[in-house]
Every structure is written in C-alpha cells, then in structure tokens.
Amino acid sequence: MTASNPEFEADCIRRILAGEKHLFHALIRPSERAIYFLLLGLLRNEAEAEDAAQETAIKVYRNLHLFRGDAQFRTWVLSIARNEGLGRLRKQASRREDSLEEKIDEQSGDYTPAILTSWREIPAEALERKELGALLRRAIEGLPGIYRNVVLLRDIEEMDVRETAAALGITEGAVKVRLHRARALLQRELAPQLKGFAPQRKGLFGWGK
Amino acid sequence: MKIDCKHVWEYISAYIDGEVDRALRAEIDRHLETCEICSAVLDSTRNVVVLVAGDRVFELPVGFSERLHARLEKELDLEQPGTS
C-alpha cells in the first residue's frame, strides 16, 4: 500500500484544477491497485474490473472539483469505484446468487476450523509458487462477496480497518467481523488443500470432513 | 475465566491482528500452551493470512497501468475537470 500524502494530493488537485491536467496521472497512480482490487472483488471478472477501473479514474478526474478534502483522497476515490462497481452489478441482468443484498448472518453460525497439525510448519517456499497462487486466488474468488471484498482490501491491499470501512460503506465493526469470517472460511478451505503439499504425518488430528 | 476452543476460534482473527485486550490475550495464550488443536488452527490461519498477503498472489493484469493511463490521456486532452 502506498502511504497517502495529503499535501501532495492537495497541491496536485489545486494545480490540476488550475489547468495542469497532466498531473492527474501522478495523483491517481497510488490508488490504481486499490481501485482495481475493490472492483475485482465486486465484479469477479478481470476484464470488467479493468474497464470499471478506467471508468472510475475518468469519473474521479471529471469530479475532481467536488473533492472537499474532508476524507482521504484515496477513500473518496474508492467510494467512486464502489459506486461504479455496484452500478454495473445492478445492470447485470442475471442476478447472481451472491448478490448485493446478500444477507448472511454475520454474528451467528458456528465456525469449525480445519483441524490439522501437520501443515503449520511448512514454509511457503516449499510450495510451488504458481500452484499456490492459483490455489489462493481460487479460494478468495470462491468467498461470498461481502467477505471477498474485505479480504481484498484488508489482507491484500493492506488497508486499515477505517479506510476499508469507508471504501465499502460499512462500519468498522462489520469489517472486523467479516474479516474474521473470511479468514475462517479460507482456513477451512485452504488448510486441507495445503496439507497436500505437506509431508504426510498420519494419525494426528486428521482432517475429518 | 477459563476459555474453551470455540471461544479461542472466535477471537483468532482479532488475536492475529493484535486486537484482543491483554487479559484475553493471556487467557488465549494459556489455552494455546496446552491445546494442540487450537495452536494448529491459529498457525494455519496465520499462514493463510501471510500467504494471501504475499506478493504475486494477486497482481494487476499485465499492461493494466499503461492502458489506464493511455485512456486517461485521451480524456485529459478533451476535458477540464468540472466542465462535463
């Protein structure tokens, strides 16, 4: 994550609005990844996320005079990205199961982790990187939308709780709860699969499901 | 207060992020010392968090930035902010 630099941003915005339009490239660059991953989380399609990211950047530019500086610039940018993504989802004729209005009771429901003891000591280096990457991406893409977004912003973009909450339009408490649930789901999904990479050690708390 | 495995699992994410208070952390640590299951769950969850955050798991598509700025360039040539 690129640390935000409010003074640089404010100066840039002032100059862009005064006519130095090409400074916009430098202004938006630090937010590019976060815009993309937020949209990827929402849209689950790389090409669409990229197109939406471009639209977002253009909207940010067109509306730059509306930025008031009472939020972090990137947070404001991400709220525009979120609106772009949600707008596209609404337009999609076929409703996904995993829709915007998805209601998952976040507080209840038992979480039973994958219980196994043999994987934990495996160094990441021991895993084939490419294969591991694909496994992780699949697991994250398979998460329900509300969890996937939080993981993408918190654990992948390493945004803090406050900024994640602002970008997603949810409370900080909801960010924490969703992150917890997401990690639990990922652990349950991944631990047994990653166990396949491990040296076999039978007889210990086997994965019983 | 004595906590059980389920209780520990509920706080694993917060524990990893350092967001549990000292008393609870101490309680969880005490539980982990004797519970191999929970300490395995904690380690594997932490591994998942570390692996997911690792670079190159999620990358921008090749050429993403170039295409974005090329499109912006066209837009910038056309418009001044606030005029559309």
Side-chain angles (χ1 to χ4, degrees):
Chain A
M1 177 178 128
T2 311
S4 71
N5 183 341
E7 281 169 28
F8 165 78
E9 289 162 358
D11 183 53
C12 239
I13 292 168
R14 198 172 37 75
R15 290 167 62 187
I16 293 163
L17 293 174
E20 293 182 69
K21 298 192 286 187
H22 292 274
L23 287 174
F24 187 72
H25 291 291
L27 178 67
I28 200 75
R29 213 176 282 280
S31 303
E32 278 173 26
R33 272 183 63 94
I35 294 172
Y36 177 76
F37 287 118
L38 174 64
L39 287 162
L40 184 65
L42 287 169
L43 300 167
R44 293 174 116 158
N45 175 299
E46 288 194 4
E48 174 125 32
E50 176 166 348
D51 190 62
Q54 293 180 2
E55 280 301 320
T56 298
I58 289 172
K59 283 181 182 166
V60 169
Y61 175 68
R62 287 183 185 160
N63 293 295
L64 200 56
H65 61 292
L66 300 175
F67 176 65
R68 290 284 168 254
D70 45 7
Q72 269 190 49
F73 178 68
R74 191 170 70 163
T75 306
W76 181 69
V77 168
L78 291 177
S79 69
I80 293 175
R82 177 165 53 97
N83 284 335
E84 176 68 23
L86 294 178
R88 285 175 184 239
L89 282 182
R90 279 190 208 100
K91 274 188 214 152
Q92 283 172 7
S94 57
R95 286 190 133 253
R96 295 162 195 257
E97 232 177 65
D98 181 22
S99 76
L100 304 178
E101 305 306 323
E102 181 172 48
K103 290 270 188 285
I104 294 179
D105 186 348
E106 292 170 13
Q107 303 297 342
S108 71
D110 279 349
Y111 146 60
T112 311
I115 294 168
L116 72 176
T117 55
S118 56
W119 175 54
R120 59 177 155 160
E121 288 106 11
I122 306 164
E125 293 77 24
L127 307 174
E128 175 61 50
R129 280 208 78 84
K130 218 171 131 190
E131 206 175 329
L132 174 66
L135 200 63
L136 294 169
R137 276 194 299 279
R138 256 202 318 278
I140 291 167
E141 283 158 11
L143 288 173
I146 61 169
Y147 299 147
R148 190 176 55 242
N149 289 334
V150 172
V151 169
L152 282 165
L153 297 184
R154 280 283 287 130
D155 282 346
I156 293 170
E157 271 306 288
E158 297 180 355
M159 282 167 47
D160 63 25
V161 172
R162 208 176 59 180
E163 198 183 2
T164 303
L168 294 174
I170 58 180
T171 64
E172 293 182 22
V175 169
K176 289 180 189 173
V177 171
R178 288 180 192 187
L179 186 64
H180 173 67
R181 301 286 296 171
R183 287 171 173 174
L185 289 169
L186 289 175
Q187 189 270 355
R188 194 160 58 182
E189 167 77 15
L190 288 168
Q193 296 192 60
L194 290 166
K195 201 182 171 193
F197 288 97
Q200 292 297 313
R201 249 173 79 193
K202 286 185 180 157
L204 275 170
F205 310 101
W207 168 238
K209 200 173 146 188
Chain B
M1 179 179 72
K2 191 112 175 87
I3 56 176
D4 60 15
C5 296
K6 271 216 151 125
H7 203 110
V8 170
W9 298 344
E10 276 309 309
Y11 286 101
I12 273 186
S13 184
Y15 181 92
I16 289 172
D17 287 340
E19 286 176 353
V20 294
D21 63 42
R22 273 176 63 184
L24 182 57
R25 173 165 290 268
E27 203 57 54
I28 292 174
D29 286 339
R30 205 165 15 245
H31 180 94
L32 290 171
E33 275 170 24
T34 53
C35 182
E36 192 169 0
I37 294 177
C38 283
S39 79
V41 169
L42 172 69
D43 285 347
S44 59
T45 306
R46 193 170 6 224
N47 273 350
V48 164
V49 173
V50 169
L51 289 175
V52 161
D55 48 334
R56 304 194 177 277
V57 171
F58 275 87
E59 284 188 288
L60 288 171
V62 177
F64 171 88
S65 198
E66 290 76 7
R67 290 189 293 275
L68 173 70
H69 288 276
R71 189 156 164 202
L72 277 174
E73 192 63 38
K74 283 189 208 156
E75 177 72 16
L76 264 52
D77 282 342
L78 292 175
E79 298 209 37
Q80 182 65 25
T83 54
S84 62

